[in-house]
Amino acid sequence: MSKPSVISIPEVKSLKMTMNAMSYKTLVAFLLSQLEGEKLAVEEDDYLRFKAQVIAILKQNAHEPKMVIEARKLALTIHRFSRSVTDETTRYPYRMLGHSVATIHVRTHAFGYIYYALRYVQATQPNKLKEAVELYCHTIAQFGGNLYA
């Protein structure tokens, strides 16, 4: 039996709509808070290098998207690399990074961070998926997102 898509969860649909309505500056602040506080069990050198690059470019573009071409190139590099990763639970964190930096060129990519984070939870700790969804709802609300508007 296949796993249901995380996007079919009503709260996740609401998260996507809410994030799509949030300002660029707020989305970048959210992504930086998540990446800097991230506790994923990925210690691969490539991941750590990409993560440092993503955090640096997000900080440089925190108030407005200035380095769009550089961000897009980095996002494409990370996504291309993620396709070479055979283990899906290791691939998801790379996809999270790629979508985070892609937010600089298209802000709706910010939701991709949450989408792949939830896919990661679903693959590694399926019994904690509901808790993870609730945590993201709470976190987005802290950043000013109105989930039920």
Side-chain angles (χ1 to χ4, degrees), residues 1-134:
M1 183 173 167
S2 66
K3 300 175 212 162
S5 171
V6 297
I7 198 69
S8 66
I9 300 169
E11 293 85 355
V12 175
K13 289 179 183 180
S14 182
L15 271 171
K16 183 177 182 179
M17 291 187 328
T18 300
M19 291 181 76
N20 287 345
M22 293 171 77
S23 74
Y24 169 85
K25 189 175 174 180
T26 302
L27 291 170
V28 171
F30 162 75
L31 291 169
L32 282 169
S33 76
Q34 296 302 294
L35 291 168
E36 291 176 330
E38 181 182 272
K39 303 284 191 267
L40 298 178
V42 181
E43 295 298 325
E44 295 180 6
D45 290 340
D46 290 317
Y47 178 79
L48 297 173
R49 179 175 46 85
F50 284 138
K51 181 178 175 180
Q53 290 173 331
V54 169
I55 289 171
I57 199 168
L58 283 172
K59 284 182 176 180
Q60 291 171 321
N61 291 266
H63 299 289
E64 62 179 306
K66 298 177 284 197
M67 302 168 70
V68 175
I69 293 170
E70 296 88 341
R72 188 172 184 276
K73 284 181 183 177
L74 180 56
L76 292 172
T77 298
I78 294 169
H79 284 309
R80 189 171 29 259
F81 182 86
S82 75
R83 288 197 273 306
S84 72
V85 177
T86 55
D87 177 48
E88 75 177 16
T89 59
T90 304
R91 186 180 316 121
Y92 293 145
Y94 286 101
R95 301 293 288 177
M96 292 162 61
L97 289 177
H99 279 277
S100 295
V101 73
T103 300
I104 294 170
H105 92 97
V106 176
R107 65 184 193 83
T108 55
H109 280 293
F111 174 73
Y113 176 89
I114 287 181
Y115 175 76
Y116 283 104
L118 293 174
R119 297 275 311 265
Y120 179 82
V121 171
Q122 186 179 41
T124 60
Q125 300 174 310
N127 59 325
K128 300 222 177 200
L129 183 59
K130 186 177 187 318
E131 180 182 329
V133 169
E134 290 171 359

